[in-house]
Each structure stands twice: as structure tokens, then as C-alpha cells.
Amino acid sequence: MWATRNGTAGGRMDEAQHIDEAQGIDIVDVRYAYGAKPALADVSMALRPGRFTALLGPNGAGKSTLVSLLSGLFVPQGGRISIFGLDLAKDPLAALSVMGIVFQQQTLDLDLSVRQNMAYFAALHGLAGRRAGQRIEACLTRLGLAARQKEKVRALNSGHRRRLEIARSLVHEPRFLLLDEPTVGLDVPARADLVAHVHALCRDDGLTVLWATHLVDEVEAGDDLVVLHDGTVRAQGAVADVLASTGAHDVLGAFHRLTTPAPAEPAP
Ligand code: ADP
């Protein structure tokens, strides 16, 4: 059962994959530009193990670019990324094997059943037979979809499709879950449902989560927060610390202070 792997948040050493969860996720001076256009400029952040970190930034801040770098789709043009002590550039397969990724665009096959979508992904991760069946059952149960496994994905509403993508991303028992604006296109109740499910994964199973969003109401008081704007980190830390450092009363206020340009000085 996958829950048996959780260990204490931040404390598990996994000999097989040589990961040390206590080291969390370390992003150091990472740079990336599309041609001459910089998208990330010397971005550094440390994600604490077993914590839900919201990566909050307006459109164009660089969130998807960072997700592409973390998931190995793009290679940083400077800096380094370390996943639980593994250098992503030097040991990409081992680093990626402990990551679950949910991209912004949905990638389910609508004409396959819920279970078939899971089984396909399990096979991609080298899981077969009884073990695959156990993992599929556990992940679907965890995301509240076990009763719907025979239905075609086309029959699911958008919120349940997103939950299925999260269930699928967990099939190989990752310890770091990376989600790029997973609530895009969902209505308010479905958004709240998804946010609650992922917070529960973090709280109950000790998963380290990076949740990219431009929506301040998806950030909870107990989360960690990184505010990204114009390709640079404007603030990071526990939500309470970011509020204290900005003098704001809530995340919306902090977000505005950190992302709104200061008014121009009046001409002399
Ligand atoms: P976010 O996910 O926060 O909306 P992105 O990472 O998508 O931000 O984009 C960061 C910056 O990089 C933006 O200015 C965007 O226009 C630019 N950008 C993103 N993808 C490309 C691309 N394929 N080619 C050129 N510029 C891009």
C-alpha cells in the first residue's frame, strides 16, 4: 500500500533511489530564456519536505517555465536543481522517478476507462500484474474515484478528470508532486475540492507539493509561498512570514504589493 511509504515527512532515506527527503527541493540561481527573452532570471527557492508550497504569480511570471525545468522538459541555461539531494542534470532518471507531475493541459485518453488510463501509466512506470492492480486501486481510492473505474473518462466532469490525473501521477509512489495550474477551467466548488485533496495528500502522506497558480484563494494560511513575478522571486517563506515581511493582512494584499509596480516619481 502506498501509504506505507510515507515515513516521517522530511526524514526518509531511500537507499534504492538514493534520495534523502530531508533535503527537500533546491533550486539555485536557475536561468532560462526563450531566445533573447528572459523567462527566469537567477531564480532560487528551497521547498521544504512534506510541505505544500504555492508558487503564486500572474500570467507570464515564469511558472510553467519553472515546471518545465523541474520536470526535465527544458534544461536550465544556468544554475542547478536538486530533488531530495539528487542533481536533476546529473541523475535525471532517478530524480524524475520520485516525482509525480500534473501538467496544465489535460493528457487523459477520453475514450479509455478510468482504470485503463491508470493501467497505461502504471505500465509506463514498469508496474504490472498484482502490484499494478494494487497501486491503481490505492490511488483511485485516495482520490475518491474507485467507484468510477469502469467508466469512460469522457463521462467524468472536469473536476473528476483532474482528480484522475492526480491519482495517475501517484501510481509510482512519488514523493514530490508538481502541479502546473491544475484548476484552470474548473468551477469554484471543483477548485476547492481539488485544493483540499492535494492538501490532504501533503498532510496525511507527507508528500512535498509544488502547486503553481495565479489564484490567491488557492493558498492556505499554513502553506509555504513563493511569489514569482517577471521571472524573479519576489518573496518566499511560510505564508505568515511573507505577510509579515510585506506588511499585508492577507495573501491578496501581499500579492499586490509584490507584483504591482511602484508609482513613477513625479517629474521635478
Ligand atoms: P506563466 O506560466 O507564469 O504564465 P510562462 O513560464 O508560461 O509563465 O512564461 C514566462 C515568460 O516566457 C512569458 O513572458 C512568456 O510570454 C514567455 N514564454 C513562454 N513560453 C514561451 C515560448 N515558447 N516562446 C517564447 N516565449 C515564451
Side-chain angles (χ1 to χ4, degrees):
M1 203 177 121
W2 95 286
T4 58
R5 280 195 55 167
N6 64 353
T8 51
R12 189 167 71 92
M13 273 289 255
D14 186 323
E15 291 303 328
Q17 288 162 322
H18 308 290
I19 63 164
D20 177 6
E21 279 193 65
Q23 294 195 38
I25 312 299
D26 223 7
I27 297 168
V28 184
D29 295 336
V30 161
R31 268 186 291 114
Y32 194 85
Y34 297 93
K37 189 175 187 310
L40 294 174
D42 296 328
V43 161
S44 296
M45 63 185 79
L47 310 185
R48 294 194 281 170
R51 299 276 303 166
F52 184 108
T53 300
L55 175 66
L56 181 66
N59 286 335
K63 302 182 297 298
S64 290
T65 304
L66 186 62
V67 169
S68 297
L69 292 168
L70 281 166
S71 56
L73 288 177
F74 297 168
V75 176
Q77 293 157 351
R80 63 178 178 80
I81 295 172
S82 146
I83 312 287
F84 300 137
L86 290 171
D87 188 314
L88 184 58
K90 292 187 186 141
D91 215 348
L93 286 184
L96 289 169
S97 74
V98 293
M99 291 171 60
I101 304 165
V102 177
F103 290 107
Q104 199 174 124
Q105 298 298 329
Q106 188 199 283
T107 58
L108 296 164
D109 188 320
L110 301 183
D111 292 316
L112 293 181
S113 70
V114 166
R115 193 177 179 91
Q116 284 169 328
N117 270 277
M118 293 289 291
Y120 175 66
F121 224 66
L124 285 180
H125 282 287
L127 292 168
R130 232 172 105 86
R131 179 77 190 126
Q134 286 167 344
R135 291 297 310 143
I136 290 168
E137 203 68 35
C139 294
L140 288 177
T141 301
R142 193 73 182 80
L143 273 295
L145 290 169
R148 309 204 58 183
Q149 51 186 299
K150 290 189 180 146
E151 291 181 47
K152 282 198 173 167
V153 171
R154 198 175 286 287
L156 303 184
N157 66 28
S158 316
H160 287 179
R161 288 180 192 180
R162 267 316 201 185
R163 270 206 239 159
L164 174 56
E165 288 197 292
I166 294 173
R168 191 182 64 171
S169 76
L170 299 175
V171 80
H172 57 299
E173 296 184 86
R175 299 301 301 152
F176 174 36
L177 182 59
L178 177 59
L179 308 102
D180 188 9
E181 306 220 31
T183 59
V184 163
L186 300 187
D187 61 18
V188 172
R191 279 210 294 126
D193 173 81
L194 207 69
V195 170
H197 266 92
V198 175
H199 274 92
L201 287 169
C202 188
R203 195 176 51 244
D204 302 341
D205 302 335
L207 270 187
T208 302
V209 172
L210 184 64
W211 173 284
T213 185
H214 65 276
L215 299 166
V216 290
D217 64 348
E218 293 181 355
V219 184
E220 295 189 354
D223 293 341
D224 286 349
L225 176 63
V226 176
V227 178
L228 191 68
H229 183 48
D230 278 346
T232 60
V233 172
R234 300 297 165 99
Q236 64 179 306
V239 165
D241 294 339
V242 173
L243 297 190
S245 68
T246 53
H249 296 298
D250 54 23
V251 176
L252 181 62
F255 182 65
H256 280 313
R257 287 180 195 195
L258 292 163
T259 59
T260 309
E265 293 284 325

